[in-house]
């Protein structure tokens, strides 16, 4: 059964290859009985991360039925949702069905919760064939079961927000929390992908940290208009995040902190170019390439600190939910995405 540490990390549910942690595993066991320190969730809705959903949609030419079949095939093969191309997954909401007597998560049977750990390490079984999902949105109505380990994280869903909104916010809640940590009063900040979920929350967090200059970088005039209307950023510029020279030109004066929230590969070099020497680049997009970021910075002789947002900072869920509650600009950008 493994040591207590192994069980708390979920190693006992790894089927292949033996000895790795669940996130690195090719296949997990979602069907074993609930352990003494585990929690079983009845799944209600899955939120695919943006990079994974984009890749699946593009790979299947926008065919929703094909995207649905691809997700079902991944979960059936792997016992979890981990896109084999992007390596990313998402998170889910559901109702607590069973709580092991030694679980430290503080959850109770019947509570509706959002998992704050990635689906890439969460044992998952889907039982309804995703028949209520058209394959054309990141949010997926679903029935099935999922398992949380002793070292997992979950948040009880707030009663004052629609579940689709809460799911969208909690999916990216690590972004504004880390921005709050690295941005200081008087800092200058650029956010790539500033009109998206994690992007607008990051812009709002930078403003609340009293940054003197916040530049929102978006991909087209439609997003620029929406971001200007939200009133979150000091400046709004349009640039292709995968074009380094275009990003640097759009941002103009290099900033102290650059936050990457785009869901496409190739944004690493532009982010480095936009950042002043001694500054910080925060990578949140799951399409980020570590070799491209590290070797690109080396090739530019760029003296920048690079951080990878790991999705967890203490208090991250409450921060994201509160930013939505008190910021009309965040609501103006999040709500249309959720309703769409």
């Amino acid at each position: 059964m493994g040591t207590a540490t192994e069980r708390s990390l979920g190693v006992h549910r790894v089927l292949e290859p033996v000895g790795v942690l669940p996130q690195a595993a090719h296949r997990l066991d979602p069907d074993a009985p609930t352990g003494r320190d585990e929690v079983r969730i009845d799944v209600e809705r899955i939120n695919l991360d943006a990079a994974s959903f984009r890749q699946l949609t593009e790979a299947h030419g926008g065919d929703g039925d094909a995207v649905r079949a691809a997700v079902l095939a991944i979960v059936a093969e792997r016992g979890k949702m981990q896109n084999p191309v992007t390596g990313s997954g998402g998170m889910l909401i559901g109702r607590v069905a069973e709580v092991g007597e030694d679980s430290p998560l503080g959850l109770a049977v019947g509570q509706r919760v959002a998992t704050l750990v990635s689906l890439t390490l969460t044992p998952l079984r889907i039982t309804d064939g995703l028949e209520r999902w058209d394959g054309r949105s990141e949010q997926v109505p679903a029935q099935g079961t999922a398992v949380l380990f002793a070292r997992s994280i979950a948040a009880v869903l707030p009663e004052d927000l629609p579940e689709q909104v809460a799911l969208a916010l909690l999916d990216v809640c690590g972004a504004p929390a880390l921005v709050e940590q690295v941005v200081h009063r008087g800092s200058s900040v650029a956010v790539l992908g500033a009109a998206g979920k994690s992007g607008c929350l990051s812009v709002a967090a930078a403003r609340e940290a009293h940054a003197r200059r916040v530049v929102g970088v978006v991909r087209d005039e439609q997003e620029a208009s929406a971001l200007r209307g939200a009133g979150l950023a000091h400046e709004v510029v349009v640039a292709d995040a995968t074009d380094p020279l275009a990003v640097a030109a759009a941002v103009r004066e290099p900033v102290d902190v650059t936050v990457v929230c785009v869901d496409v590969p190739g944004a690493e070099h532009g982010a480095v170019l936009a950042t002043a020497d001694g500054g910080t680049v925060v990578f949140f997009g799951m399409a980020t390439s570590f070799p491209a970021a590290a070797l690109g910075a080396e090739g530019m002789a760029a003296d920048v600190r690079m951080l990878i947002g790991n999705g967890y900072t203490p208090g991250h869920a409450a921060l994201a939910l509160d930013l939505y509650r008190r910021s009309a600009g965040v609501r103006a950008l999040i709500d249309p995405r959720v309703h769409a």
Side-chain angles (χ1 to χ4, degrees):
M1 295 296 290
T3 67
T5 297
E6 290 174 343
R7 287 194 56 82
S8 71
L9 294 169
V11 175
H12 61 292
R13 285 190 179 266
V14 173
L15 297 176
E16 178 190 346
V18 174
V20 303
L21 296 180
Q23 199 281 332
H26 178 77
R27 190 159 60 99
L28 300 181
D29 178 6
D31 298 319
T34 306
R36 293 172 60 91
D37 59 355
E38 293 180 332
V39 173
R40 187 171 297 275
I41 305 293
D42 285 337
V43 177
E44 297 177 356
R45 187 177 295 268
I46 292 169
N47 194 97
L48 298 176
D49 79 278
S52 177
F53 178 68
R54 176 188 287 271
Q55 187 278 323
L56 289 167
T57 299
E58 292 177 349
H60 296 285
D63 184 336
D65 290 340
V67 171
R68 181 175 60 246
V71 171
L72 287 169
I74 291 170
V75 175
E77 176 188 354
R78 309 198 70 168
K80 59 178 179 174
M81 178 55 210
Q82 185 174 30
N83 185 315
V85 176
T86 64
S88 55
M91 44 89 75
L92 61 83
I93 63 174
R95 193 175 296 276
V96 177
E98 190 176 358
V99 178
E101 58 192 78
D102 294 332
S103 171
L105 301 187
L107 300 177
V109 171
Q111 287 180 319
R112 299 189 69 240
V113 299
T115 61
L116 301 182
V117 290
S118 174
L119 292 179
T120 64
L121 55 84
T122 303
L124 175 66
R125 181 167 60 96
I126 293 174
T127 59
D128 67 345
L130 303 180
E131 61 184 8
R132 293 172 293 152
W133 182 45
D134 63 5
R136 299 180 185 276
S137 66
E138 296 173 9
Q139 294 204 8
V140 184
Q143 288 184 354
T145 59
V147 177
L148 299 180
F149 310 126
R151 291 282 293 272
S152 298
I153 317 165
V156 177
L157 286 173
E159 296 182 357
D160 63 319
L161 299 179
E163 68 176 42
Q164 293 92 337
V165 170
L167 184 58
L169 295 169
L170 294 172
D171 182 43
V172 297
C173 62
L178 186 51
V179 168
E180 184 184 59
Q181 288 189 347
V182 301
V183 174
H184 307 293
R185 181 182 292 273
S187 297
S188 55
V189 182
V191 179
L192 278 59
K197 294 183 299 183
S198 60
C200 72
L201 287 167
S202 296
V203 170
R207 288 293 295 267
E208 292 207 349
H210 303 290
R212 64 173 174 81
R213 177 185 180 225
V214 180
V215 184
V217 183
V218 295
R219 62 185 174 184
D220 55 37
E221 285 297 336
Q222 182 178 353
E223 287 193 348
S225 178
L227 186 57
R228 291 189 189 102
L232 293 176
H234 295 117
E235 303 171 33
V236 178
V237 298
V238 176
D240 180 351
T242 66
D243 184 335
L245 297 179
V247 171
V251 174
R252 296 183 294 107
E253 180 183 351
V255 295
D256 301 314
V257 179
T258 299
V259 185
V260 181
C261 295
V262 296
D263 57 5
V264 294
E268 299 86 1
H269 295 172
V272 172
L273 272 180
T275 308
D277 281 348
T280 299
V281 183
V282 181
F283 293 105
F284 277 107
M286 288 294 101
T288 298
S289 164
F290 172 77
L295 299 178
E298 176 186 289
M300 300 176 215
D303 177 22
V304 297
R305 178 178 63 151
M306 293 186 287
L307 301 178
I308 297 176
N310 72 355
Y312 175 68
T313 299
H316 62 333
L319 173 63
L321 296 173
D322 286 343
L323 279 173
Y324 175 87
R325 291 184 180 106
R326 62 177 175 256
S327 172
V330 169
R331 294 195 297 273
L333 293 167
I334 293 288
D335 288 350
R337 294 179 64 90
V338 171
H339 296 148

